[in-house]
């Protein structure tokens, strides 16, 4: 059975190469789109804030921008960094090692 699996390895790799190339291209395109879009949202927030002399967005800068007819909506949601949990986890690991 392992011989059958090993024999299919190169064949699968040949089938995956075109797909992975397309995935890499799409990833790069989406990354550029996200960067451009976030820049445009930041510009809109800045302009509206200056126009009305207010600070827009929540504590982390989250904003929602809707079209006048409500048909379209763009949200900028900024997540808390996961790294903030690391010091707590290190304390737990240290205590666990100390107890042993």
């Amino acid at each position: 059975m392992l011989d059958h699996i090993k024999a299919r390895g190169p064949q699968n790799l040949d089938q995956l190469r075109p797909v992975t190339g397309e995935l890499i291209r799409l990833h790069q395109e989406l990354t550029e789109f996200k960067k451009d879009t976030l820049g445009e949202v930041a510009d809109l927030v800045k302009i509206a804030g200056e126009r009305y002399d207010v600070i827009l967005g929540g504590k982390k800068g989250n904003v929602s921008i809707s079209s006048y007819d409500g048909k379209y909506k763009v949200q900028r949601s900024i997540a808390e960094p996961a790294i903030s949990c690391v010091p707590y986890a290190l304390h737990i690991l240290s205590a666990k090692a100390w107890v042993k």
Side-chain angles (χ1 to χ4, degrees):
M1 182 155 168
L2 288 177
D3 294 336
H4 177 69
I5 293 171
K6 288 179 185 176
R8 289 186 47 103
Q11 181 184 7
N12 287 347
L13 188 59
D14 289 340
Q15 291 171 337
L16 288 176
R17 280 197 178 114
V19 173
T20 55
E22 181 69 8
L23 286 172
I24 290 169
R25 185 191 67 74
L26 287 171
H27 173 71
Q28 292 168 341
E29 196 172 313
L30 284 172
T31 300
E32 189 66 28
F33 171 77
K34 181 180 176 182
K35 186 180 101 179
D36 292 345
T37 303
L38 287 174
E40 289 179 25
V41 168
D43 290 344
L44 285 170
V45 168
K46 182 180 176 187
I47 290 167
E50 289 172 352
R51 179 179 293 163
Y52 300 108
D53 197 28
V54 294
I55 296 174
L56 299 173
K59 185 177 180 182
K60 296 184 291 183
N62 297 341
V63 293
S64 294
I65 301 172
S66 299
S67 61
Y68 285 112
D69 61 2
K71 189 175 180 180
Y72 302 104
K73 179 175 159 181
V74 174
Q75 288 184 282
R76 179 180 68 184
S77 300
I78 301 170
E80 290 288 333
I83 194 94
S84 64
C85 299
V86 171
Y88 182 69
L90 292 176
H91 289 339
I92 290 175
L93 291 174
S94 300
K96 188 176 177 180
W98 184 73
V99 171
K100 286 183 179 181

